[in-house]
Amino acid sequence: MSVFAHLVEHLADLLQPLFGASAAAAAIVLFTALVRLLVHPLSRAAARGQKARTALQPKIAELRRKHGKNPEKLQKAVLELHAEEKVSPLAGCLPGMLQIPAFFLLYHLFSSDTIGGEANGLLGHRLFAAPLGQRWTDALQGGVLGGAGLVYAGLFVVVACVAAFSYRLSKRMMAANPAAQVGGGEQMPGLGAVTKVMPFMSFFTLVTVAVVPLAAALYVVTSTTWSAVERAVLYR
């Protein structure tokens, strides 16, 4: 934790001439961008894997039709199909999983009063009028139109815009890759519900931003925005 705190402080010092009192917030955004840049090769691989998995859907649908009454045999057949086509069903999860440690580091860093037995100096940093260790519920105590409340309102607007963009992108991708069909035009079991829910997943980011410290919220907003742009480029 102390090493990570020093890293954030060092980045903030470097950005101080450009961002002034909001240098630590800018450092968090920069740190997030560096994390996303590091996992970008995995995101590219995940995009290729997603396209490959989409191409396999008709074959998987046929396996479901053939082995639907025998779950164990169906699972074995699907795994064999993925191995034969050299497609990993978990490849798309890696970019998101690798970002979890960075998120929790920021969360704990800006939720702790002390680090290494000393007072946590990072809690004094702000994004405009909002302390980086503050949550949305704390900001509301100064009023929705208070300085901290307006900072959160701006974040919510950004997240809502990114979520709307992601929603339209997901709908377009699903329209371009219709759900696999089992015999007789019937949709694969359970796929219809997933198809309906998937475009709305990005809106859950609003909940995350509301309940975590502002520093962690900045990480989430920056990462979510990066993901939306990255998906638009990689899945075009």
Side-chain angles (χ1 to χ4, degrees), residues 113-128:
D113 294 328
T114 60
I115 297 177
E118 299 181 358
N120 186 358
L122 289 173
L123 297 180
H125 290 277
R126 295 171 173 265
L127 173 60
F128 302 115

Side-chain angles (χ1 to χ4, degrees), residues 8-96:
V8 174
E9 288 279 15
H10 185 61
L11 286 175
D13 290 341
L14 292 176
L15 297 173
Q16 179 74 29
L18 292 175
F19 298 96
S22 297
I28 291 170
V29 173
L30 177 59
F31 169 75
T32 309
L34 290 175
V35 171
R36 292 308 308 256
L37 196 60
L38 286 174
V39 301
H40 179 68
L42 291 176
S43 297
R44 293 179 65 88
R48 291 193 296 269
Q50 178 61 43
K51 293 176 182 178
R53 287 192 297 274
T54 299
L56 288 182
Q57 289 306 310
K59 294 182 179 180
I60 293 177
E62 179 61 24
L63 290 175
R64 287 181 180 274
R65 184 194 64 78
K66 185 177 180 181
H67 305 297
K69 295 182 180 180
N70 190 333
E72 292 184 2
K73 193 170 184 179
L74 172 61
Q75 182 180 17
K76 182 179 178 181
V78 170
L79 290 176
E80 288 176 350
L81 176 63
H82 280 94
E84 180 182 342
E85 299 292 337
K86 297 181 180 180
V87 175
S88 171
L90 300 177
C93 301
L94 285 177

Side-chain angles (χ1 to χ4, degrees), residues 167-192:
Y167 172 84
R168 295 181 61 185
L169 179 63
S170 295
K171 295 287 285 186
R172 187 166 71 245
M173 289 171 59
M174 290 178 180
N177 299 286
Q181 305 291 312
V182 189
E186 181 184 355
Q187 197 175 60
M188 287 169 50
L191 191 56

